[in-house]
Amino acid sequence: MQAARRAAWRWLAEANMLSRDMSRVRHAALLAGLGLLSTCSWGGGAAEHRSDPPVPVTAAPAVQKDAPVTLRAIGNVAAYSTVSLKAQVEGRVARVYFAEGQEVKRGDLLFALDARPFEAALRQAEANLARDRAQAENARVEADRFARLVKDGIVSRDEYDQAQARAASLEATVAADQAAVESARIQLQYCSIASPIDGRIGEILVHEGNVVKANETPLAVINQVRPIYVEFAVPQQELDEIRARLAGGELPVEAFRPAAEDHPVVGTLNFINNTVDTASGTVLLKAIFPNTNEELWPGQFVPVTLRLATRHDAVMIPSRAVQTGQEGKFVFVVQPDGTVASRPVSVGQTVGQDVVVEQGLAAGEQVVTEGQLRLAPGVRVQVKEEAA
């Protein structure tokens, strides 16, 4: 029993000694780690003096030049004039003389109706005219004879008056026959349907063999596209300035086609509607374009720009240089020491690829146009040449 107790006490003593030794080892390892961390952080290694390379960017100078004062809107192209061809007489379509979509001139024959019934009606009217004209001539001769006989007392005055009345009645009948002949000729002319304007014709709506009614069935539609209109609406707040500018001379309007945005089509403003749309608070304007090469097409939607005036010596920069932050618009300005500074700016209207800077930038200062994502105030940059 005593031997067991002594063995237990000996085991406890060895265990306490081993625990103290392990504690000293952990403490030493902790101190060594802290020392190594301190050496890495503050020991003045090579990493402390190594600087980041400059960020490559492209830059462009702010330039001072004339900028147009404009209004932008979405316009709708409309034909200068539109004609819906309809038959003026009832009949069967005998022939079509055009191809769908072709250009037509004033007077070109487009449709022909079956003219045989109208030719027959004309011949009948001419025959009636000839018959009644012969009767009228005979009645006039008889009336003249009765005029001589009444003087000699051979015929009575009543017979003479009846002869004169019969001659006058037949002359009136001849006049009515002449009108009927002219009407029949006009009806016959209506069988040939010609283009009343120069323009471009659309699809054939009624083909050969179909019977059409007078002034009811559209045969085709012609749009005059040279010149052509572009209709667009502007806010009513701009109406006074537009009218004042228009009173001083023509106002140019540019239409931008999707396929050639760098080459706008130029026209002039020629119409201001006489009322403001109460639903939208806008006023309708129309610009006329020569459209010599048919760049614009009826029904097309195009962005338009109405130029009101020219602003001289405006400070302009590429629009891609302007960034948006929590506090508004800003640009990165390249400093003389090769670093960049963030500069808040107030921008105006956009002119092509450039934007007008109202405040915050002077002409000649360089602004970063590409590479802004890696920049912050004070970062050194290397300006690359911008591709033309």
Side-chain angles (χ1 to χ4, degrees):
M1 187 67 177
Q2 292 295 332
R5 288 180 179 176
R6 283 196 297 270
W9 281 110
R10 190 182 304 115
W11 180 83
L12 288 174
E14 291 176 357
N16 289 334
M17 186 181 296
L18 180 60
S19 176
R20 286 195 298 269
D21 291 341
M22 291 297 294
S23 178
R24 291 191 190 99
V25 171
R26 286 196 299 270
H27 185 65
L30 179 60
L31 290 177
L34 290 175
L36 181 60
L37 180 60
S38 176
T39 301
C40 292
S41 302
W42 309 101
E48 177 186 1
H49 300 291
R50 186 177 60 198
S51 59
D52 293 331
V55 178
V57 296
T58 59
V63 296
Q64 201 169 26
K65 58 183 180 180
D66 294 345
V69 179
T70 60
L71 290 176
R72 294 177 177 271
I74 299 297
N76 182 28
V77 183
Y80 185 78
S81 60
T82 299
V83 174
S84 179
L85 295 175
K86 294 182 179 180
Q88 293 181 270
V89 293
E90 183 175 350
R92 181 180 62 85
V93 178
R95 190 171 179 184
V96 179
Y97 290 91
F98 67 94
E100 293 180 323
Q102 82 173 54
E103 186 175 355
V104 296
K105 301 293 184 181
R106 181 191 295 269
D108 288 351
L109 182 61
L110 303 177
F111 291 92
L113 303 182
D114 186 3
R116 290 175 297 177
F118 301 95
E119 291 172 348
L122 176 59
R123 289 195 297 270
Q124 182 179 359
E126 290 174 339
N128 292 338
L129 173 62
R131 181 198 60 199
D132 293 338
R133 183 174 287 165
Q135 292 178 356
E137 290 176 357
N138 181 62
R140 176 52 54 193
V141 170
E142 185 177 351
D144 292 341
R145 185 185 310 114
F146 270 69
R148 293 192 300 270
L149 295 176
V150 74
K151 290 180 181 180
D152 298 336
I154 300 176
V155 296
S156 66
R157 188 73 183 180
D158 289 340
E159 292 175 320
Y160 167 71
D161 291 340
Q162 290 175 4
Q164 290 288 344
R166 186 167 54 255
S169 174
L170 288 173
E171 288 176 356
T173 301
V174 169
D177 291 341
Q178 289 175 337
V181 169
E182 185 64 25
S183 176
R185 285 175 180 165
I186 293 175
Q187 297 289 309
L188 180 60
Q189 290 175 359
Y190 286 159
C191 293
S192 299
I193 302 173
S195 174
I197 61 172
D198 296 343
R200 192 166 290 276
I201 198 165
E203 63 177 330
I204 301 173
L205 302 179
V206 177
H207 294 268
E208 295 180 8
N210 287 281
V211 176
V212 294
K213 294 184 178 180
N215 299 315
E216 183 174 317
T217 308
L219 306 178
V221 177
I222 303 174
N223 284 330
Q224 185 175 354
V225 296
R226 294 197 301 262
I228 203 166
Y229 283 126
V230 174
E231 304 173 346
F232 58 100
V234 297
Q236 61 182 355
Q237 294 83 355
E238 309 291 346
L239 180 58
D240 290 341
E241 183 175 2
I242 293 173
R243 294 182 61 193
R245 300 284 186 182
L246 188 60
E250 291 185 346
L251 296 181
V253 178
E254 294 180 333
F256 298 85
R257 296 170 297 150
E261 294 183 354
D262 295 335
H263 299 85
V265 185
V266 180
T268 55
L269 182 69
N270 74 329
F271 171 77
I272 301 176
N273 201 9
N274 60 358
T275 184
V276 175
D277 188 346
T278 56
S280 61
T282 59
V283 59
L284 177 68
L285 307 181
K286 282 186 182 182
I288 188 170
F289 293 78
N291 205 32
T292 306
N293 299 321
E294 296 185 351
E295 300 97 337
L296 302 175
W297 208 249
Q300 196 175 20
F301 287 95
V302 292
V304 295
T305 299
L306 171 63
R307 180 177 296 187
L308 298 177
T310 300
R311 179 177 175 179
H312 300 286
D313 299 330
V315 177
M316 303 184 69
I317 60 173
S319 56
R320 62 182 181 275
V322 181
Q323 304 294 302
T324 303
Q326 294 181 349
E327 297 181 358
K329 305 288 185 181
F330 70 94
V331 295
F332 285 109
V333 181
V334 180
Q335 303 293 333
D337 61 356
T339 62
V340 293
S342 176
R343 183 85 59 81
V345 292
S346 174
V347 298
Q349 66 181 20
T350 301
V351 182
Q353 302 295 326
D354 298 336
V355 64
V356 176
V357 179
E358 304 287 354
Q359 292 179 350
L361 203 62
E365 292 188 286
Q366 274 201 328
V367 295
V368 177
T369 57
E370 289 183 9
Q372 295 97 326
L373 291 178
R374 298 176 58 188
L375 298 183
V379 171
R380 290 192 307 114
V381 295
Q382 180 184 6
V383 178
K384 301 186 299 182
E385 253 186 62
E386 189 166 4

